[in-house]
Amino acid sequence: NLHRKMAVVYLHLESLGDGHTIKLDLRGDAPVTVGQALTAFVREYSPASGATLEAHAIALQTEAGRLLRPEWVLPCGEAPRADLFVVPSTNAVVTGNSSADAAGSGSQQALSVAQVDAIRASQAKMGDNSYYYAVNKNLGNTITPLEPNVPRAIAALSHSHLVREQTIASYAMMDGEAKVKVNIPLAGAKSLPSNGIAVGFFDRSFKLKIRPDANTELSLNVPLLLERIEPAQCSVKVLDGRIVLHLVKREVDKIWYELRKTKGVGDSEYDKLVPWEGKLVVVTAGGSGAELPSEAAPVCLTGPPGKLR
């Protein structure tokens, strides 16, 4: 309970239309479930975007790819200020007796694929110290751990082939005097196709597209950065095991304590900010791999992220 009262979590939607982020304060007396959090997200997202989004059609997923059940109480074992990602609920439907799960019944319960995935993700991160592994072990459910895997890919139909879209959930920000660096870990970065990276910089936004091959796209879309940047001076570097974005500050005296601008309590200026505003500046890069065909290379277009080309 102490951990919950100290927690603030961020809910991000990056893969459907406009990106959107809300800050969810869990420090009240009443616990907040995952289902209630999704309802709150929909309540704010729909008027802001003009798009229709229903709570039953989405789910919450951690950076490690763990799907969170609607009845679980946030922060679900995640650290304070954790980033949680709103994803389609196609793979998030779970079965079993949730009341028995909550009560810690000694009878064995059948586990769905989503539950097994969640337990494996937790165990991969925490080993035998994983809370979910321990609970299911006590229930008599044996879970065979898998090697750490990338987050679940979302399939999207391109012109002539299937492209798997995956949101980049793991990155780190470092604030400097004149620029902010965004480090994205990526195994084999230097072996990417020579035209496998495209970054679109706006006045206060950016979209990163990485194509390791013609059928896979990794994306990181930030519709509202904490502060404004100089798009024409921003750049991308390909290093061993990582991609680094250099965001040049427009106001060098501003300290960046987080990458994304989120709406705080009483923040009347937030709703006036316009995502994807300003002239688009596209920077391309890549590794030492073979060049992709032009029709398969990543592309950044004006406006919010859309469907894969």
Side-chain angles (χ1 to χ4, degrees):
N1 289 335
L2 178 61
H3 186 73
R4 176 178 63 79
K5 289 181 179 180
M6 295 173 61
V8 172
V9 296
Y10 296 92
L11 275 57
H12 307 292
L13 175 64
E14 296 179 340
S15 59
L16 300 174
D18 291 345
H20 192 72
T21 296
I22 71 168
K23 178 180 179 181
L24 193 62
D25 195 331
L26 307 178
R27 292 172 290 187
D29 293 331
V32 178
T33 66
V34 172
Q36 290 171 331
L38 291 172
T39 300
F41 185 90
V42 169
R43 188 163 53 243
E44 183 171 317
Y45 171 80
S46 295
S49 65
T52 300
L53 189 64
E54 298 181 355
H56 68 80
I58 54 178
L60 273 187
Q61 178 176 292
T62 68
E63 288 190 6
R66 178 166 65 96
L67 289 167
L68 306 181
R69 290 177 61 122
E71 68 269 23
W72 286 354
V73 174
L74 289 170
C76 301
E78 297 295 303
R81 301 181 66 82
D83 290 301
L84 301 176
F85 296 87
V86 178
V87 297
S89 63
T90 306
N91 297 309
V93 178
V94 295
T95 59
N97 190 327
S98 59
S99 61
D101 292 343
S105 169
S107 60
Q108 185 171 348
Q109 301 293 331
L111 298 178
S112 68
V113 172
Q115 287 173 297
V116 171
D117 285 349
I119 296 164
R120 280 172 171 162
S122 179
Q123 189 181 3
K125 183 177 181 181
M126 301 296 293
D128 288 354
N129 292 324
S130 163
Y131 169 77
Y132 301 103
Y133 169 76
V135 168
N136 281 278
K137 184 176 180 181
N138 291 334
L139 290 174
N141 294 318
T142 302
I143 305 298
T144 303
L146 296 179
E147 291 298 319
N149 198 4
V150 296
R152 193 187 309 274
I154 301 173
L157 188 61
S158 183
H159 287 289
S160 58
H161 62 279
L162 197 66
V163 177
R164 293 171 296 160
E165 182 186 10
Q166 178 187 320
T167 298
I168 297 171
S170 178
Y171 58 87
M173 184 204 79
M174 296 193 318
D175 182 38
E177 290 186 3
K179 65 178 65 174
V180 173
K181 294 182 180 180
V182 183
N183 285 275
I184 299 102
L186 183 65
K190 284 200 168 184
S191 299
L192 286 169
S194 58
N195 60 342
I197 301 173
V199 193
F201 298 104
F202 299 79
D203 286 350
R204 198 168 180 164
S205 317
F206 75 78
K207 54 179 74 171
L208 167 65
K209 310 287 185 182
I210 304 174
R211 288 276 178 101
D213 55 64
N215 300 313
T216 306
E217 180 165 289
L218 314 177
S219 63
L220 176 59
N221 302 307
V222 180
L224 278 178
L225 291 162
L226 185 66
E227 302 290 347
R228 298 170 75 86
I229 60 174
E230 295 287 356
Q233 299 177 36
C234 296
S235 60
V236 55
K237 302 293 183 183
V238 182
L239 304 177
D240 283 330
R242 60 194 172 113
I243 307 293
V244 183
L245 303 183
H246 293 249
L247 309 179
V248 177
K249 296 180 179 180
R250 182 165 297 187
E251 298 175 87
V252 296
D253 59 326
K254 294 288 184 70
I255 296 175
W256 289 42
Y257 53 89
E258 59 184 352
L259 183 65
R260 301 167 183 270
K261 173 70 174 176
T262 55
K263 185 176 182 179
V265 177
D267 185 357
S268 59
E269 296 299 312
Y270 180 86
D271 293 330
K272 299 177 184 178
L273 301 176
V274 181
W276 316 112
E277 187 178 34
K279 182 180 178 181
L280 169 65
V281 176
V282 177
V283 177
T284 59
S288 59
E291 182 177 304
L292 291 169
S294 59
E295 66 273 12
V299 174
C300 290
L301 303 176
T302 57
K307 295 181 180 179
L308 296 177
R309 48 161 280 173

